[in-house]
Amino acid sequence: MSTRLIKGRKSVRLARIENQNNRQVTFSKRRNSVFKKANELATMTGAEVGIIVCPQGSKPYSFGHPNVNETINKYVGEERPPSPSSPGIDDKYVQMFRKANSRELNTRLNSLQDQLDFELNLKSKLKQMNKSVESQQEWFKGPIEKMNYSEASMLKKGLEDLLLKVKNYGTERGYGYENGKWKAE
Amino acid sequence: MSTRLIKGRKSVRLARIENQNNRQVTFSKRRNSVFKKANELATMTGAEVGIIVCPQGSKPYSFGHPNVNETINKYVGEERPPSPSSPGIDDKYVQMFRKANSRELNTRLNSLQDQLDFELNLKSKLKQMNKSVESQQEWFKGPIEKMNYSEASMLKKGLEDLLLKVKNYGTERGYGYENGKWKAE
DNA sequence: GGACCTATTTATAATTG
DNA sequence: TCAATTATAAATAGGTC
């Protein structure tokens, strides 16, 4: 805090980052960026996308829309059972289990998607509201200052209801919402 | 020449592009952009990357760094035995895909969450609320990070309803927000 | 690791040729 | 259809906490 150093982006050259820490940070940031861009591509154009990223000496990451395997199958051009050649002997059952599990989770994902689509109308209104007001303070302050009593009461009641709901959140296991992201188990 | 119309980038909705021509143009541009980003990621961090993109009603496109395409084909499995050139790499990618698949759905959940955030600006809304309503910062901020989906959904709906009410404000009397504080009746 | 900030660089939607 | 332009929106490197 004592020193105010120069921030902001600097031009970057397309070369391997030698510093290990910087490389790791860049990997995480850019990996998410690529996935995000891929998600936009798939959503906006309806294309199927599958991505595999394998950092050196760490666990692989993937992105799939709707999922990697089907995208690969399309790429190859045919549906086929699990290959007997490269995987292990019991791979068949592993695949079956994995696919069944994927189906179930995909159902949940699809319902999520449906909810998202269903809510698009309301959300677009919110976006319009957002764009019309630049300042963070103004966003809330402006309209509320001009509310009448009944509207203010509704707001208050709504906030109270929300408070109760939020405070009494359950202890459901499995997927959860943490730090702005949904996490498995 | 005589007319100077407004060009420039507009904000973009994360939704399917209905116009076929625009969709096609966007697909080509963004596909190349994703590949470019992936190449930067691979080059700068040394990670291995494979991407497959299947547009609707057209042939697939792929990107690989260094040589993922062949490996993907091997993973899906041709009937004939794999090329004797690189069996070790084949196994490596089989493992890679298998492990990656388990993370894939979670990744897509996060992508969906990004989409929700984009449409609703939920997090920024919450931040704004926190800043505007200092006295109620804690009850809102704390539990939200631990919410499960249905509760987050309720919160979203509640916010939407509230905002719709707030949007259509009247001008009667003094309940509201002044000098950074909520004025209770 | 993650969240947030900011000066810049990039990406890109709409448009023109 | 494709390449260039351009005004903006978005991404992001480097930093702080």
Side-chain angles (χ1 to χ4, degrees):
Chain A
M1 238 8 197
S2 55
T3 57
R4 173 156 291 275
L5 299 182
I6 298 173
K7 293 188 193 176
R9 183 176 187 173
K10 297 175 183 175
S11 67
V12 74
R13 57 197 164 82
L14 187 54
R16 179 185 174 82
I17 299 172
E18 295 302 333
N19 181 280
Q20 184 175 355
N21 186 52
N22 291 344
R23 191 167 66 242
Q24 164 60 30
V25 171
T26 295
F27 174 78
S28 295
K29 286 185 175 181
R30 281 180 174 265
R31 170 173 46 79
N32 288 327
S33 295
V34 169
F35 286 175
K36 184 179 178 183
K37 286 288 186 182
N39 182 57
E40 292 176 4
L41 174 66
T43 302
M44 296 171 74
T45 71
E48 295 186 10
V49 180
I51 303 181
I52 299 292
V53 178
C54 194
Q56 292 171 325
S58 181
K59 294 173 288 189
Y61 298 80
S62 77
F63 169 85
H65 185 106
N67 68 59
V68 169
N69 281 344
E70 286 188 11
T71 305
I72 293 173
N73 286 334
K74 270 221 169 64
Y75 178 69
V76 174
E78 57 181 284
E79 292 279 344
R80 62 167 53 258
S83 166
S85 57
S86 31
I89 295 175
D90 56 349
D91 179 74
K92 179 180 179 181
Y93 300 101
V94 172
Q95 297 263 345
M96 286 173 59
F97 181 85
R98 183 161 52 80
K99 284 190 176 180
N101 194 38
S102 293
R103 225 179 357 255
E104 178 185 337
L105 292 176
N106 264 323
T107 301
R108 295 174 61 182
L109 283 170
N110 287 334
S111 66
L112 253 184
Q113 187 72 56
D114 290 341
Q115 290 188 48
L116 180 64
D117 293 338
F118 184 77
E119 290 173 335
L120 280 182
N121 288 332
L122 286 176
K123 285 166 185 169
S124 64
K125 293 177 183 174
L126 282 177
K127 283 176 63 182
Q128 290 172 4
M129 215 172 151
N130 236 10
K131 287 184 178 179
S132 65
V133 181
E134 292 294 330
S135 164
Q136 290 188 341
Q137 290 283 341
E138 294 303 318
W139 171 80
F140 224 91
K141 189 172 165 186
I144 285 174
E145 275 178 344
K146 299 173 183 174
M147 287 174 66
N148 62 31
Y149 177 76
S150 60
E151 287 159 350
S153 294
M154 285 192 295
L155 176 59
K156 182 186 175 187
K157 186 177 186 304
L159 285 172
E160 286 167 349
D161 290 343
L162 281 176
L163 173 60
L164 287 177
K165 289 174 182 174
V166 170
K167 276 189 172 176
N168 295 326
Y169 69 90
T171 55
E172 180 180 329
R173 292 179 63 258
Y175 286 85
Y177 187 81
E178 293 181 13
N179 298 324
K181 294 288 185 185
W182 294 96
K183 291 192 173 180
E185 287 185 304
Chain B
M1 278 304 179
S2 56
T3 57
R4 172 167 287 271
L5 298 182
I6 298 173
K7 293 193 204 173
R9 182 176 188 173
K10 294 182 181 176
S11 68
V12 153
R13 277 171 43 78
L14 187 50
R16 176 183 176 85
I17 298 172
E18 295 302 334
N19 180 280
Q20 184 174 357
N21 185 53
N22 292 346
R23 192 167 66 241
Q24 165 60 32
V25 171
T26 295
F27 173 77
S28 295
K29 286 184 176 182
R30 282 179 174 265
R31 170 173 45 79
N32 288 328
S33 295
V34 169
F35 287 175
K36 182 182 176 184
K37 287 286 186 185
N39 182 56
E40 292 176 3
L41 175 65
T43 303
M44 296 172 73
T45 69
E48 299 178 18
V49 181
I51 303 181
I52 295 171
V53 179
C54 299
Q56 292 171 326
S58 180
K59 71 167 189 173
Y61 299 78
S62 67
F63 168 86
H65 183 106
N67 284 318
V68 181
N69 292 341
E70 293 180 5
T71 314
I72 289 174
N73 279 321
K74 291 175 188 174
Y75 166 70
V76 176
E78 296 295 331
E79 276 303 304
R80 57 181 174 281
S83 166
S85 58
S86 53
I89 291 178
D90 180 47
D91 241 24
K92 178 180 178 183
Y93 278 96
V94 168
Q95 291 296 322
M96 189 169 107
F97 271 93
R98 189 174 294 160
K99 288 182 180 177
N101 190 62
S102 64
R103 303 164 183 275
E104 171 197 327
L105 290 171
N106 191 45
T107 300
R108 194 182 161 210
L109 272 174
N110 284 335
S111 295
L112 270 178
Q113 186 61 51
D114 288 341
Q115 205 167 338
L116 283 167
D117 291 342
F118 179 88
E119 296 292 345
L120 186 55
N121 287 325
L122 175 60
K123 282 191 279 191
S124 64
K125 291 288 185 303
L126 292 176
K127 279 197 302 184
Q128 290 163 4
M129 269 186 99
N130 283 336
K131 287 183 180 178
S132 297
V133 193
E134 303 237 354
S135 61
Q136 309 199 16
Q137 195 168 15
E138 290 312 312
W139 68 257
F140 224 100
K141 186 171 156 192
I144 266 223
E145 288 170 352
K146 299 176 181 175
M147 287 170 63
N148 62 31
Y149 175 74
S150 60
E151 287 152 356
S153 183
M154 284 193 297
L155 176 59
K156 288 204 301 292
K157 289 247 182 239
L159 282 175
E160 285 160 356
D161 292 337
L162 286 174
L163 288 169
L164 286 175
K165 291 171 184 172
V166 170
K167 183 179 176 185
N168 300 318
Y169 56 84
T171 52
E172 281 192 21
R173 46 196 173 113
Y175 178 98
Y177 180 82
E178 286 184 17
N179 298 326
K181 300 222 170 177
W182 284 95
K183 209 173 179 181
E185 63 174 313

